[in-house]
Amino acid sequence: MRLPLAWSSALLSVALFVLLVGIWQMLTLPKPSKPPPGVSAEYAALMGHGAAKSDGFPTPAQVASTFIRELRHPFYDHGPNDKGIGLQLAYSLARVGAGFGLAVLVALPLGFVIGMFPLLRRALDPFIQVLKPISPLAWMPIALYTLKNADVSGVFVIFICSIWPMLVNTAFGVASVRRDWLNVARTLEVGAFKRAFQVILPAAAPTILTGMRISMGIAWLVIVAAEMLVGGTGIGYFVWNEWNNLALPSVIFAIVLIGLVGMLLDLLFARLLRLVTYAE
């Protein structure tokens, strides 16, 4: 009996996960140290040579223990440098939400206008192409100097990195609406406002949401690096602080958690994209 594709892919994912954890376990097994040449076995044993030693990288069991410890009480607050992982994630998600929301408010209306007017699209394209490839972190010194606030600067970095994929995709989606649909709307004497919201917007919605999905992925990627620079709170600061404490299991725990949250955000936008995608 052949398993459905969903079950087969799930079993393959589990098998790959078990394989990777097994390789990780094998690579982090303690290795016996060799005594220096010319040293007797008794003296070597006395000095600890020959005993099994680890290279310092955490084992899967140590990381699993960190998961249990951190997730048992995720919202505690014992001061500026000792907050639960739930609070750290909340700070990061709040910054991402604020910056991403501002980008939506700017990028969608502006992209809509750019897509509807080819002259404006051609005029603004050089500016977009120059600003789009600039690393968001390159804006951080300017943001810190002008805004004088680390939290606001982090939100600005998210805004500046989120705006471009949404702006470009919105303009492209609006400009790519089939002429036939627009001609039918004009024939039926549909007003410009109704035409924009009842014809152009539904047709461009899949492309717009694809841009938003890309922007959210970039925003979540950038916030970790931004919080490492500005410090204070957030999952990026948590990673940097644990590294300074040489707590590698906590660093790996945070890395996995960042990936899981990013996956959930992407799945959310993928679900929204399926809701607005239609078959012609």
Side-chain angles (χ1 to χ4, degrees), residues 95 137 140-141 143-144 149-155 157 223-234 236-237 240:
R95 293 188 182 107
L137 295 183
M140 183 60 78
L144 288 171
N149 185 286
D151 287 331
V152 178
S153 298
V155 172
V157 168
I223 191 60
V224 176
E227 289 172 344
M228 285 184 178
L229 292 178
V230 301
T233 55
Y237 173 72
W240 190 248

Side-chain angles (χ1 to χ4, degrees), residues 98-118:
F100 184 82
L102 289 173
V104 169
L105 292 177
V106 174
L108 296 194
L110 183 58
F112 210 92
V113 174
I114 292 173
M116 293 185 68
F117 298 98

Side-chain angles (χ1 to χ4, degrees), residues 27 29 35 71 75 128 134 156 173 180 183 194 247 261 275:
L27 292 176
L29 284 175
L71 296 178
F75 296 103
I128 296 173
I134 297 175
F156 171 78
D180 296 345
N183 291 335
K194 290 183 69 175
V261 173
L275 293 176

Side-chain angles (χ1 to χ4, degrees), residues 112-127:
F112 210 92
V113 174
I114 292 173
M116 293 185 68
F117 298 98
L119 176 63
L120 188 61
R121 184 165 68 251
R122 287 177 175 269
L124 292 179
D125 185 67
F127 298 96

Side-chain angles (χ1 to χ4, degrees), residues 188-214:
L188 296 175
E189 298 182 352
V190 177
F193 188 81
K194 290 183 69 175
R195 186 166 65 247
F197 281 91
Q198 295 184 3
V199 179
I200 298 176
L201 183 59
T207 308
I208 294 172
L209 270 172
T210 299
M212 295 175 68
R213 184 180 180 182
I214 296 171

Side-chain angles (χ1 to χ4, degrees), residues 61-262:
Q62 290 174 316
V63 175
S65 176
T66 303
F67 264 88
I68 294 172
R69 186 184 72 248
E70 293 290 346
L71 296 178
R72 185 177 296 161
H73 302 290
F75 296 103
Y76 71 85
D77 187 353
H78 295 160
N81 294 323
D82 190 12
K83 299 181 186 296
I85 193 66
L87 289 179
Q88 302 287 22
L89 276 176
Y91 281 114
S92 295
L93 289 171
R95 293 188 182 107
V96 168
F100 184 82
L102 289 173
V104 169
L105 292 177
V106 174
L108 296 194
L110 183 58
F112 210 92
V113 174
I114 292 173
M116 293 185 68
F117 298 98
L119 176 63
L120 188 61
R121 184 165 68 251
R122 287 177 175 269
L124 292 179
D125 185 67
F127 298 96
I128 296 173
Q129 297 306 322
V130 168
L131 294 172
K132 185 173 64 173
I134 297 175
S135 170
L137 295 183
W139 295 98
M140 183 60 78
I142 297 176
L144 288 171
Y145 181 79
T146 55
L147 301 175
K148 313 295 184 184
N149 185 286
D151 287 331
V152 178
S153 298
V155 172
F156 171 78
V157 168
I158 296 302
F159 165 79
I160 205 67
C161 80
S162 300
I163 191 171
W164 307 118
M166 277 190 284
L167 181 64
V168 172
N169 274 46
T170 301
F172 176 77
V174 171
S176 301
V177 175
R178 290 173 57 174
R179 298 295 101 183
D180 296 345
W181 298 345
L182 296 177
N183 291 335
V184 170
R186 292 191 185 96
T187 302
L188 296 175
E189 298 182 352
V190 177
F193 188 81
K194 290 183 69 175
R195 186 166 65 247
F197 281 91
Q198 295 184 3
V199 179
I200 298 176
L201 183 59
T207 308
I208 294 172
L209 270 172
T210 299
M212 295 175 68
R213 184 180 180 182
I214 296 171
S215 292
M216 177 54 73
I218 296 174
W220 186 245
L221 181 73
V222 169
I223 191 60
V224 176
E227 289 172 344
M228 285 184 178
L229 292 178
V230 301
T233 55
I235 190 66
Y237 173 72
F238 178 86
V239 172
W240 190 248
N241 190 50
E242 295 303 311
W243 162 247
N244 288 331
N245 295 331
L246 297 179
L248 282 181
S250 296
V251 172
I252 296 174
F253 158 74
I255 290 172
V256 174
L257 198 60
I258 290 168
L260 291 174
V261 173

